[in-house]
Amino acid sequence: MRATSPSVRSRLFALLTIAALSGLLGGCGYNDFQRLDEQSKAAWAEVLNQYQRRADLIPNLVNTVKGEASFEQETLSRVIEARSRATAIQVTPETLNDPQAMERFQQAQGQLGGALSRLLAVAENYPNLKANQGFQDLRVQLEGTENRITVARNKYIQTVQEYNVLARSFPTNLTAMMFSYSPKASFTVANEAEISRPPTVDFGGQPAR
């Protein structure tokens, strides 16, 4: 029987080591981290896509409302300013684990959503706008976009929850520490409540509370 050469034994040992490491990494959640990390990035990209869709509709909405000469300028200005702030803040996939960046983003988008809700509510008091087909079409598009935002946001929350559970559970938390898989920031409950709460509108001239 011929003896196995040192080079063959070295290659065999290397292959066995790679196989063992692959099994170890797979058993410790490494592959799951890869999958969920990519899923969370894709889900976040869809969130941004829908927020951008909303932002793109606003200039046409503003121009349509401007045609109503007596429309509340303060309400209109708040939408314009909120859109400017919201589009100035970007959270990239690389900064998704930054709670402060996510909080700033959520706050800006929440303010824009609130300003838009108030504008649409105030518009109900203007018969010309209610009869304007262009305005109504934009309103339908905005409502549809808000629904898409909710769906995309919920998908992101679900994906991040799965990722964070993996990052915090034993023994996969050891893999997370080894490869620097930090928990990702999600949307906060407080922010969700703020976005979902309709604005208080007072047509009698009293300030909204």
Side-chain angles (χ1 to χ4, degrees), residues 42-158:
W44 181 248
E46 182 59 20
V47 171
L48 292 180
N49 180 50
Q50 296 307 328
Y51 275 130
Q52 185 61 51
R53 176 187 173 91
R54 180 174 70 176
D56 290 343
L57 289 171
I58 292 174
N60 288 336
L61 180 68
V62 168
N63 288 333
T64 302
V65 172
K66 280 182 178 178
E68 182 65 44
S70 61
F71 193 84
E72 293 183 11
Q73 291 303 306
E74 182 181 356
T75 299
L76 199 57
S77 296
R78 285 180 178 176
V79 171
I80 296 171
E81 292 168 2
R83 179 186 184 275
S84 178
R85 287 192 296 269
T87 54
I89 300 175
Q90 296 295 324
V91 177
T92 66
E94 290 72 29
T95 57
L96 284 179
N97 59 346
D98 183 347
Q100 288 74 31
M102 179 65 82
E103 183 178 358
R104 290 191 297 270
F105 179 86
Q106 292 179 80
Q107 185 177 22
Q109 294 294 343
Q111 289 172 351
L112 177 55
L116 273 173
S117 295
R118 178 174 176 80
L119 185 149
L120 295 177
V122 170
E124 290 295 318
N125 206 39
Y126 292 82
N128 290 341
L129 278 177
K130 292 177 68 175
N132 186 315
Q133 188 59 48
F135 178 81
Q136 293 305 321
D137 289 344
L138 285 168
R139 182 171 196 149
V140 169
Q141 291 182 61
L142 278 170
E143 290 173 351
T145 300
E146 291 295 342
N147 290 335
R148 292 186 181 94
I149 288 172
T150 299
V151 171
R153 198 167 54 222
N154 288 342
K155 176 63 176 177
Y156 174 75
I157 290 171
Q158 178 184 355

Side-chain angles (χ1 to χ4, degrees), residues 12-26:
L12 181 60
F13 178 77
L15 289 173
L16 291 173
T17 301
I18 292 172
L21 287 174
S22 297
L24 180 62
L25 289 174

